[in-house]
Amino acid sequence: MSARYATIAEQLAKWQQGHLLTFWDELTEPQRAALLDSLSDSVDCASLDEAFRRAMATATSTKEDLNELLKPFARERYLSVAEATEVELEDLRQAGLEQIRQGRVGVILLAGGQGTRLGSTAPKGTYNVNLPSGKSLFQLQAERIRKLQQLAGGEGRIRWYIMTSEHTHTETLDYFKQHQYFGLPSDQVRLFRQRSVPCVNFEGRILLDEKWKVATAPDGNGGIYRALKDEGILDELEREGVMYLHAHSVDNILIKVSDPVFVGYCVRKSADCGVKVIEKVQPDEAVGVVCEVKGKYQVVEYSELSSETANRRNTSDGKLTFNAGNICNHFFTTEFLRRIAETTMPLHVAKKKIPYVDVTTGERLKPTAPNGIKMEKFIFDVFPLAERFVALEGRREEEFSALKNADTAGIDCPSSVRGDIYRLHRKWLIKAGAAEVLDAADASFDCEISPLLSYAGEGLEMAAAGQSFRCPVHLTGADEREQQ
């Protein structure tokens, strides 16, 4: 046996993980090398044991009842777009555009997931929801960045940092190369991997995915902070003069990437951390809420709210008292990210059905009930560490439509997000002066406006004023028309 094998075997035995070498004698040389590489790269037995014990202690501990401690946002730290005047919003928009013009704004895209629930093993960002343009989530977001840079003017570039996982990194990189980064310079787009954590059974023993491969899973969207440091991105941000980051998940098809109103608001408030929320209008909606607990802001999961708390309403306007719905849409300063990079993040236990190799029989099994856990970190767990935390409430119909499920679910699915795009873009045309936007004879109301033509409904007057449109409508930018 090699010295490398002997060292790894000794460590595994010390931490009761020796079963990972059960099939060594029947592996080929390439498989043995792959297993040793996997054990060297992703398995730190001491750290994993500590993390498992910490995660299980958290999961089984008696949680403090938050319901008596919750307070809604202080008004001086909270702005609703629906309640602000156009003058106020334009002022914030120009403040955000100025930061973009100066090259101080970057975007972090959380794109480590696959489209499993959509019936695809490809990175979710590559998914095409069958818009008339055929554009994927990645392409829509890239084109919003391009248009926003054009609106800002100047030489400033919005640097785009895309967090992938071991399951999506190579395919995502190939996808961007294949599509020439959707018109962005390749050096403006930086892909980096979040870390993976071994999956374990309920006793903390690591599971094998194959006889030569450890079962692993991404460490959750909260893995962003460690990954930014380990990949050297925090140093890069400082070298490039990027002071503000907009972080969001890949699956919100309406996302206003690097929204200048949001950026401008956070900068004006001298925030080191901010969140964009939408109004929660149904007490039983399955979204967490952002609120104050003991003087600090945090996300409280909907499952932690009592029925009484979830249904509480303001006497002044009848709205839910705790209605700041969390949609994974965040603002950070680079300085804040640097400060919390070494923070030990809370670990959350997710019980999952994890395919594994039975070390007794050698058979690979696909369980029908949860058989193990994945340990995850959540991006919002750093909110209590902020020194100046603010929130901006956007309009749901303009800002949030999540792609989570196949069409059979009927919600948060390709057909529902397409419908949300169509409704918003019809609204843009009417606001820009269109005389009417009529449905087609087959009741289709397909209406898509390219991000290269308009970022958020601006600049459509020349194309729309006095015009009548009959769906399907597909308005493109000048660059796209030249390529056709």
Side-chain angles (χ1 to χ4, degrees):
M1 298 295 179
S2 69
R4 186 186 185 201
Y5 172 91
T7 299
I8 290 175
E10 180 181 359
Q11 284 297 307
L12 293 178
K14 177 181 177 181
W15 294 97
Q16 291 77 52
Q17 304 287 4
H19 62 281
L20 298 176
L21 297 173
T22 297
F23 306 103
W24 182 263
D25 290 340
E26 61 185 83
L27 300 182
T28 65
E29 285 304 318
Q31 288 172 340
R32 289 179 175 181
L35 178 58
L36 292 182
D37 287 343
S38 175
L39 294 172
S40 298
D41 295 341
S42 62
V43 179
D44 178 341
C45 290
S47 297
L48 181 66
D49 185 73
E50 189 276 333
F52 172 75
R53 294 179 186 280
R54 181 159 53 92
M56 294 304 290
T58 301
T60 57
S61 64
T62 302
K63 291 186 177 181
E64 182 177 34
D65 185 0
L66 297 174
N67 290 276
E68 298 301 319
L69 304 173
L70 300 186
K71 294 182 180 180
F73 260 96
R75 292 307 302 173
E76 67 270 15
R77 295 193 180 196
Y78 186 90
L79 176 68
S80 170
V81 167
E83 296 173 2
T85 68
E86 283 300 320
V87 172
E88 290 174 313
L89 294 178
E90 183 59 24
D91 180 56
L92 295 175
R93 185 178 295 108
Q94 291 304 320
L97 289 173
E98 178 59 27
Q99 298 302 326
I100 293 169
R101 190 176 301 117
Q102 296 296 329
R104 296 172 180 161
V105 179
V107 172
I108 301 174
L109 176 62
L110 308 175
Q114 298 165 292
T116 308
R117 283 192 278 172
L118 296 163
S120 170
T121 59
K124 188 182 281 189
T126 67
Y127 197 83
N128 170 12
V129 301
N130 291 321
L131 292 170
S133 66
K135 293 175 181 178
S136 66
L137 297 172
F138 279 141
Q139 183 169 356
L140 292 171
Q141 292 168 30
E143 291 181 355
R144 286 173 189 150
I145 289 174
R146 289 173 58 188
K147 182 61 177 179
L148 191 54
Q149 289 177 161
Q150 180 186 9
L151 292 173
E155 300 298 322
R157 298 196 303 176
I158 299 171
R159 287 165 177 82
W160 200 15
Y161 298 92
I162 302 175
M163 187 171 78
T164 63
S165 66
E166 63 171 331
H167 304 293
T168 64
H169 185 85
T170 299
E171 195 170 348
T172 299
L173 181 59
D174 291 343
Y175 182 77
F176 272 87
K177 288 179 177 178
Q178 177 188 350
H179 294 278
Q180 291 81 48
Y181 294 84
F182 301 107
L184 291 167
S186 60
D187 64 353
Q188 189 176 335
V189 183
R190 169 89 141 80
L191 273 63
F192 66 102
R193 289 184 182 88
Q194 68 184 116
R195 299 299 174 260
S196 292
V197 178
C199 302
V200 299
N201 65 18
F202 297 125
E203 288 72 48
R205 304 286 77 81
I206 299 171
L207 298 173
L208 282 171
D209 184 50
E210 301 286 356
K211 293 179 180 180
W212 60 90
K213 182 182 177 184
V214 171
T216 62
D219 60 354
N221 56 24
I224 179 179
Y225 306 110
R226 183 64 182 270
L228 288 172
K229 178 181 182 297
D230 290 351
E231 295 285 335
I233 291 175
L234 292 179
D235 295 334
E236 182 178 321
L237 291 171
E238 292 177 356
R239 286 196 306 270
E240 298 291 341
V242 178
M243 301 171 63
Y244 311 112
L245 283 305
H246 178 214
H248 63 88
S249 58
V250 73
D251 56 10
N252 178 6
I253 202 167
L254 295 184
I255 186 72
K256 289 183 177 178
V257 185
S258 194
D259 175 18
V261 174
F262 185 34
V263 172
Y265 177 67
C266 291
V267 172
R268 283 280 176 85
K269 286 290 187 178
S270 300
D272 55 358
C273 181
V275 60
K276 183 182 284 190
V277 298
I278 57 168
E279 182 185 356
K280 181 177 177 178
V281 294
Q282 297 298 331
D284 59 350
E285 184 179 2
V287 295
V289 293
V290 188
C291 48
E292 184 181 344
V293 180
K294 295 182 177 180
K296 297 289 185 179
Y297 288 95
Q298 68 179 68
V299 174
V300 177
E301 298 289 8
Y302 64 93
S303 58
E304 297 179 283
L305 298 175
S306 68
S307 177
E308 179 185 356
T309 301
N311 282 275
R312 190 180 305 167
R313 294 184 180 273
N314 304 328
T315 55
S316 58
D317 56 16
K319 293 182 178 181
L320 293 173
T321 300
F322 300 104
N323 67 354
N326 181 53
I327 56 173
C328 195
N329 194 323
H330 311 303
F331 168 92
F332 305 108
T333 64
T334 300
E335 183 180 353
F336 175 78
L337 293 175
R338 172 72 76 183
R339 177 163 64 83
I340 56 91
E342 300 290 349
T343 300
T344 299
M345 297 282 289
L347 288 169
H348 303 268
V349 170
K351 296 181 179 180
K352 299 288 187 177
K353 293 179 284 187
I354 305 169
Y356 71 104
V357 174
D358 187 320
V359 295
T360 303
T361 65
E363 183 181 2
R364 190 174 190 273
L365 304 175
K366 292 186 176 181
T368 56
N371 64 308
I373 67 171
K374 298 179 181 180
M375 290 176 281
E376 301 175 317
K377 303 170 186 175
F378 295 162
I379 190 170
F380 53 71
D381 280 331
V382 300
F383 287 0
L385 303 178
E387 295 175 355
R388 180 71 178 175
F389 187 79
V390 300
L392 179 74
E393 181 188 275
R395 294 184 178 92
R396 182 189 296 256
E397 67 274 15
E398 296 179 357
E399 305 245 14
F400 183 64
S401 180
L403 179 64
K404 304 285 187 184
N405 309 309
D407 268 332
T408 51
I411 186 173
D412 296 339
C413 58
S415 59
S416 69
V417 302
R418 280 199 311 273
D420 288 338
I421 282 272
Y422 296 157
R423 279 184 285 274
L424 177 60
H425 290 189
R426 285 162 63 100
K427 178 181 173 182
W428 287 358
L429 288 177
I430 296 298
K431 186 176 181 180
E436 54 187 359
V437 183
L438 302 173
D439 294 343
D442 61 358
S444 167
F445 64 101
D446 301 6
C447 181
E448 181 185 3
I449 298 172
S450 168
L452 295 176
L453 181 60
S454 182
Y455 171 83
E458 79 294 326
L460 294 174
E461 289 77 13
M462 184 174 294
Q467 299 295 314
S468 293
F469 295 90
R470 181 173 293 276
C471 295
V473 176
H474 181 206
L475 301 184
T476 59
D479 291 351
E480 294 167 292
R481 291 193 291 272
E482 290 173 2
Q483 295 170 6
Q484 294 173 353

